[in-house]
Amino acid sequence: MRLYPEATRKYVTESGRVRTPATAECYQKTLRKLQSLHPRKEVHQFKEADLVEFCLAGTPAPNTVKLRRTICTTFFAWCQYQKLVQASPAVGLSFAVSPGNFRVRMGRWLSDEEVGKLLRSCDMEDQCGRRDRLILMFGFFRGLRRNEIASLRWPMFSKDLRTIDLVGKGQKLDLIHLPEQLHEEVVRWHQEIRRHQTSENPPVFFRFTHGSSEEGEWDRTSLYDCPLGFHGIAQAVRSASRRAKVPCSPHDMRRTFAGHLERSGKTVLEIQRGLRHTNLATTSRYMDQSPAKSQAVVDDFRIEW
């Protein structure tokens, strides 16, 4: 059996370890890359040396090394359980592959001015621009994670489009209330695209396809029933970041949402509810990393001498 797509598809659908579309896409993308490095090998022919080479291929970032190592370990352990291999070649990867020492990237808390630059960078005369602007608003105005934005479907919304029944991190079901500014944008977007969608579970954010028309001009088609996906959300944020010249990652939007709640006077307990954290300690660590707090500590510091 080929590692990809046969064994990969079987793992994603039958193992019970893959619970979200984003996780499934990540496993498929990673294992497809592993198969591409050894296109003639079947799943039982992979050796530990092949997996070590894959984990370190292309001088990846430490987090990428850890991700590849984890996916290989869990996938081949399942293959051994299913008797697709006699013994897992990934059993020693935790010792054979080291991510190495690296500097942790500090998250960013964007100012209101920076958020405005990002939102204004989206062309409101263009449907793709309107889509990307709404993606940013779900991050900045409601603190949704990247995979949560990608998973949004219209049946998850209430009839008045003010609340969302969202399956969040850890398969927790949350009722998400939309602030007025975000609700108004959602209503306009729904009126614009919903009449073009025909599937039973249409996505809020869809893909575009590009090509040349018969006249030789660049043409773009809206695929209204094709969801944008996990990586498409990240690409929309990166594109806005380049246009506005404001560094921003998808999770920076969630940090900024939390920081804005704090500046508006919300307590840590209220921010925990807004972020939908199970553990208050997670929210506390999340907020304590804000550079504004460390600045506030020393702003009035003086030594009289």
Side-chain angles (χ1 to χ4, degrees), residues 20-22 24-25 28 131-132 135 146-156 189 193 196-209 221-236:
T20 66
E25 186 175 352
Q28 290 168 346
R131 181 202 67 181
D132 290 355
I135 289 172
R146 174 170 44 158
N147 62 307
E148 293 171 341
I149 298 175
S151 70
L152 290 176
R153 302 292 185 271
W154 287 121
M156 298 163 61
W189 184 244
I193 72 167
H196 301 292
Q197 297 178 312
T198 57
S199 67
E200 295 181 358
N201 193 28
V204 176
F205 301 111
F206 54 87
R207 300 175 187 267
F208 294 95
T209 183
T221 304
S222 302
L223 305 178
Y224 289 104
D225 292 316
C226 184
L228 181 59
F230 181 77
H231 297 289
I233 298 297
Q235 181 59 43

Side-chain angles (χ1 to χ4, degrees), residues 61-189:
N63 281 340
T64 302
V65 175
K66 289 195 291 186
L67 176 65
R68 292 176 181 177
R69 186 178 65 182
T70 299
I71 288 178
C72 288
T73 301
T74 55
F75 172 75
F76 280 101
W78 175 82
C79 288
Q80 182 179 352
Y81 172 74
Q82 292 288 324
K83 296 183 171 54
L84 298 178
V85 299
Q86 290 186 348
S88 170
V91 69
L93 280 187
S94 58
F95 304 101
V97 175
S98 174
N101 296 322
F102 61 99
R103 295 175 60 187
V104 177
R105 174 190 177 274
M106 289 295 293
R108 299 193 73 248
W109 283 257
L110 277 67
S111 67
D112 290 353
E113 181 183 358
E114 290 175 317
V115 171
K117 286 182 179 179
L118 286 164
L119 294 176
R120 287 192 295 272
S121 73
C122 301
D123 183 6
M124 293 303 289
E125 300 299 321
D126 178 68
Q127 191 176 59
C128 183
R130 294 192 292 274
R131 181 202 67 181
D132 290 355
R133 174 185 162 93
L134 187 57
I135 289 172
L136 294 173
M137 291 189 70
F138 268 105
F140 286 125
F141 286 74
R142 199 54 191 87
L144 296 193
R145 302 176 179 92
R146 174 170 44 158
N147 62 307
E148 293 171 341
I149 298 175
S151 70
L152 290 176
R153 302 292 185 271
W154 287 121
M156 298 163 61
F157 287 73
S158 61
K159 289 185 178 180
D160 59 3
L161 302 178
R162 290 187 177 274
T163 60
I164 310 171
D165 288 322
L166 181 69
V167 179
K169 192 174 182 179
Q171 296 296 292
K172 293 181 297 184
L173 182 62
D174 295 303
L175 184 64
I176 306 296
H177 296 268
L178 304 185
E180 192 59 35
Q181 283 177 292
L182 178 55
H183 171 251
E184 292 173 358
E185 294 289 337
V186 169
V187 170
R188 280 194 285 269
W189 184 244

Side-chain angles (χ1 to χ4, degrees), residues 109 112 140 255-266:
W109 283 257
D112 290 353
F140 286 125
R255 294 186 186 95
T256 301
F257 169 71
H260 187 81
L261 290 179
E262 186 178 37
R263 290 196 302 274
S264 66
K266 303 298 182 184

